Amino acid sequence: MVKLATARESRVYGSRRSRERWEYTNAGVYVFSTIVFLCGFVAQLSREAKSGLVVLLIGLGLILVVNIHDLVAHLAAINYRFRLMELDSQLLFVEVAVPALQALGALLFFMALLLLVLQVDRGFGYDKMEAHVLNLLIAGTSLWVVGSIHNSCQIYERADASLQILQHAVQIPFLMASFLFLAGAIVNFLEQRGHTHHGLNLLVRTYSYRWVWTGIIGSLLLIIGGLANVVKVVKMLQMEGEIKLEIFRGGAQDQLLQQQDDDFF
């Protein structure tokens, strides 16, 4: 769901030890957030569906934080010189757009569930709030799909074959999960047409758990992608001194290094 691992060798946070710590933390927090996300959907099958929504909110909050961190890290790699993105389409459409889209999608998803929780607690604005919840769910998951498609467009001129395989092992589950979440949101929206449901029944009904089951399967795919990403991060950080992922010739980071060399001399 999010492009977690380093896209290029020059993505750093300072010293090598600091870089490794942040990379491991980033990947580990994402896996934890997907597990929390899965638990939230499973809880929807119990009698404590409201508590499941709260767990989903926690998982979404963690996913949002990871994506924001990833976005900031990629921008830091070019010293926040946004004009350099004009020289590098992959930096713009993958390394910046993907975490931005995923973060915005997570935020809309979070807002939809938060409105639902508030409705359950306070019971106000049924009709208008229900429409907002359904629309926000579709909008948020749609952004996840777009972000996952952008992520799947990432290419390398040179890269280790095993890293390419691991990259696909991350991309494909995230893409499938995003489509499942979107399909669940659309199906749930269509089921609401011609019916009147309030509160938790807007997503979970005794005769229909389609949204819940698509969410469970999607969460499992996110866990698989997150675990593959952990393996990828570990492998990349252990390959010290080997060419793994290049700085694109003529790209943003290449231009940044040239400017730094010119400033030095």
Side-chain angles (χ1 to χ4, degrees):
M1 257 199 43
V2 58
K3 204 184 73 53
L4 293 165
T6 53
R8 315 189 187 184
E9 293 181 11
S10 61
R11 173 182 168 184
V12 296
Y13 309 90
S15 65
R16 176 177 175 81
R17 180 174 298 180
S18 176
R19 174 175 179 260
E20 291 182 355
R21 181 173 63 251
W22 280 107
E23 289 286 356
Y24 288 137
T25 301
N26 197 46
V29 170
Y30 186 78
V31 173
F32 176 73
S33 68
T34 57
I35 295 174
V36 173
F37 207 51
L38 173 62
C39 293
F41 277 108
V42 172
Q44 298 298 309
L45 301 174
S46 68
R47 296 181 179 180
E48 298 296 330
K50 179 184 173 182
S51 62
L53 289 180
V54 176
V55 175
L56 284 174
L57 288 173
I58 296 173
L60 285 168
L62 292 173
I63 290 174
L64 178 62
V65 170
V66 170
N67 278 279
I68 292 175
H69 165 266
D70 208 50
L71 175 62
V72 172
H74 285 142
L75 293 176
I78 57 171
N79 289 345
Y80 304 99
R81 300 183 183 181
F82 296 97
R83 293 187 61 184
L84 291 175
M85 289 189 288
E86 299 175 2
L87 307 171
D88 195 332
S89 58
Q90 179 160 286
L91 175 65
L92 175 61
F93 291 108
V94 177
E95 298 177 39
V96 173
V98 170
L101 288 169
Q102 300 291 352
L104 183 57
L107 179 61
L108 294 180
F109 203 152
F110 183 94
M111 290 175 61
L113 298 184
L114 181 61
L115 287 175
L116 191 59
V117 171
L118 292 176
Q119 185 191 67
V120 173
D121 284 339
R122 304 180 184 181
F124 57 80
Y126 273 128
D127 295 333
K128 292 183 178 180
M129 187 169 290
E130 287 170 356
H132 291 321
V133 169
L134 295 175
N135 291 332
L136 285 171
L137 284 176
I138 293 177
T141 52
S142 296
L143 289 175
W144 278 1
V145 170
V146 175
S148 296
I149 293 174
H150 275 246
N151 192 32
S152 300
C153 295
Q154 186 179 28
I155 59 173
Y156 301 126
E157 295 178 7
R158 305 184 305 274
D160 186 281
S162 60
L163 285 178
Q164 293 280 24
I165 294 173
L166 286 172
Q167 179 71 0
H168 291 306
V170 175
Q171 293 171 340
I172 293 174
F174 285 171
L175 182 61
M176 294 173 62
S178 299
F179 274 111
L180 276 175
F181 287 125
L182 177 59
I186 293 175
V187 169
N188 187 66
F189 177 83
L190 295 175
E191 286 182 345
Q192 298 300 323
R193 299 177 64 179
H195 298 83
T196 301
H197 296 113
H198 303 297
L200 295 176
N201 289 328
L202 194 63
L203 299 177
V204 183
R205 295 171 295 281
T206 56
Y207 60 87
S208 177
Y209 287 95
R210 292 187 182 92
W211 183 78
V212 175
W213 283 111
T214 54
I216 290 175
I217 298 173
S219 299
L220 288 172
L221 289 170
L222 292 184
I223 293 174
I224 293 172
L227 291 174
N229 182 75
V230 171
V231 175
K232 178 184 175 183
V233 170
V234 172
K235 182 175 177 60
M236 290 177 66
L237 295 180
Q238 289 178 345
M239 295 173 65
E240 182 178 3
E242 301 180 24
I243 296 178
K244 304 178 287 298
L245 305 176
E246 74 287 353
I247 300 173
F248 285 85
R249 293 182 296 275
Q253 291 170 331
D254 190 22
Q255 291 291 328
L256 179 62
L257 291 176
Q258 291 181 9
Q259 292 179 15
Q260 291 174 342
D261 290 338
D262 294 340
D263 294 339
F264 179 76
F265 291 106

